Amino acid sequence: MPELTEVSQLNFTALPALQTLDFGGRGLTRAESILITNTGLSSLMGINNLQQVDTFNINNNEALQNISLQVTSITNALRIEANDRYQSGLTTSFPLLETATNMTFRNCSTISLPALKNVTEDLGFYGNTFETFSAPNLTSAGGLIFVDNTQLTNISLPQLTSINATYQIANNTELKQVDGFTKLSVVKGALDFSGNFTEVQLPALTQVQGAFNLQSSARIDCTSFDELSSNNVIRGKYTCLGLRARPGGEGTGSGSSGDGEGEESSASQIFAKLPAVVGGTLVLAGFLQMIL
């Protein structure tokens, strides 16, 4: 059988009867763009030896249980979301991946990135079911985001030194301690943490260029961050609050109170929630805030 090893674009869309891929021999090794959505595939055998790809988008494949690729770099974007609907979640492994531009993971049960060193734009994890995440060789990222990973208990990024955009950890209900960022020094965007934290440690932090928001439903010690704010390590608006009934993202709450307790006003609650409904249109939210 003839072998197909390189393609420009590979698109499989709305093919629920498609259950296997076969390109002969070792399968595809190079592609510019791959899109696989709404198929019956249970594995990606046929492209699992892929070594180079610019854009890789795998979504809404209900039977897909595992993705394991040998790529070393992803020059545009990787998106993996809404696969393996009927099982415990998709397992993903990129054992050789060192650099990427933009990466998004949703609805995965495990994510393995042991060789990853640099992500130039966002590295985002949303609604996954993994309990721990580690990227032992990651040194820098554009934005770093962990949102709605409800079983996550530990994050370990021991070599990470810089984040060049937003650093967000929000609504990861089992994450009590944030202490796996021992070398993180610079955050060039906003730092935005909200959840059930009892402890947040960022011992190497020397600069936060944007806002700093830390809100927890538990009692939390803000002393070290108060000092960073006073010393102008934190350049933007500073908020650190514990014992919050409704811990919120950046722009909600104010001041510093590790032992304080407070409720947001009705207006501020609306202001916090409206951007998710209207796609971030803060003008309307601000108008409602003024009239309430």
Side-chain angles (χ1 to χ4, degrees):
M1 178 180 178
E3 294 184 16
L4 178 64
T5 59
E6 298 184 17
V7 296
S8 175
Q9 294 186 344
L10 178 69
N11 292 349
F12 291 137
T13 303
L15 297 169
L18 180 65
Q19 298 184 355
T20 60
L21 298 174
D22 187 355
F23 299 101
R26 297 180 65 242
L28 290 181
T29 58
R30 298 182 62 180
E32 292 181 9
S33 174
I34 292 179
L35 170 63
I36 299 177
T37 178
N38 192 19
T39 73
L41 291 170
S42 59
S43 78
L44 295 184
M45 293 293 292
I47 63 172
N48 58 313
N49 288 315
L50 195 67
Q51 298 172 8
Q52 296 182 26
V53 64
D54 296 339
T55 300
F56 189 74
N57 188 337
I58 310 296
N59 69 83
N60 290 285
N61 302 284
E62 294 182 347
L64 188 60
Q65 299 178 34
N66 175 265
I67 295 175
S68 180
L69 296 185
Q70 306 305 308
V71 292
T72 59
S73 67
I74 297 172
T75 55
N76 187 15
L78 178 145
R79 296 185 66 90
I80 297 175
E81 51 194 345
N83 299 289
D84 193 19
R85 176 178 176 183
Y86 302 109
Q87 302 297 323
S88 58
L90 180 76
T91 63
T92 61
S93 176
F94 297 84
L96 304 179
L97 181 64
E98 295 186 357
T99 62
T101 299
N102 192 297
M103 303 176 72
T104 300
F105 296 90
R106 297 180 190 266
N107 315 113
C108 298
S109 62
T110 63
I111 299 171
S112 178
L113 300 167
L116 186 65
K117 296 179 179 179
N118 173 260
V119 180
T120 54
E121 294 181 6
D122 284 351
L123 174 58
F125 305 90
Y126 309 87
N128 298 287
T129 57
F130 51 69
E131 295 184 4
T132 64
F133 176 77
S134 175
N137 291 296
L138 183 67
T139 60
S140 65
L144 181 61
I145 303 161
F146 293 86
V147 173
D148 292 329
N149 304 288
T150 56
Q151 298 181 42
L152 180 63
T153 61
N154 179 263
I155 306 170
S156 177
L157 300 174
Q159 300 302 319
L160 183 68
T161 60
S162 63
I163 297 172
N164 297 317
T166 298
Y167 178 24
Q168 183 180 27
I169 299 178
N171 200 32
N172 305 285
T173 52
E174 296 300 317
L175 185 63
K176 310 300 184 184
Q177 294 180 309
V178 179
D179 57 5
F181 301 84
T182 54
K183 292 186 178 180
L184 180 63
S185 176
V186 175
V187 179
K188 293 185 177 179
L191 186 152
D192 190 5
F193 289 3
S194 57
N196 303 324
F197 317 115
T198 58
E199 182 180 12
V200 175
Q201 296 184 17
L202 298 169
L205 198 62
T206 61
Q207 184 180 132
V208 178
Q209 294 185 7
F212 181 106
N213 177 71
L214 170 56
Q215 296 188 38
S216 176
S217 60
R219 188 182 302 275
I220 192 164
D221 185 0
C222 293
T223 304
S224 63
F225 301 120
D226 291 345
E227 293 176 0
L228 293 180
S229 179
S230 297
N231 294 333
N232 205 34
V233 169
I234 298 169
R235 309 286 177 81
K237 180 182 177 181
Y238 173 68
T239 302
C240 186
L241 295 166
L243 297 176
R244 297 290 284 174
R246 299 179 181 87
E250 196 277 319
T252 67
S254 61
S256 169
S257 177
D259 296 328
E261 187 170 5
E263 292 284 345
E264 300 167 65
S265 69
S266 298
S268 66
Q269 290 178 38
I270 292 174
F271 186 84
K273 294 176 181 178
L274 264 173
V277 177
V278 299
T281 308
L282 296 180
V283 174
L284 177 58
F287 174 74
L288 286 175
Q289 189 181 33
M290 287 188 294
I291 66 174
L292 290 174

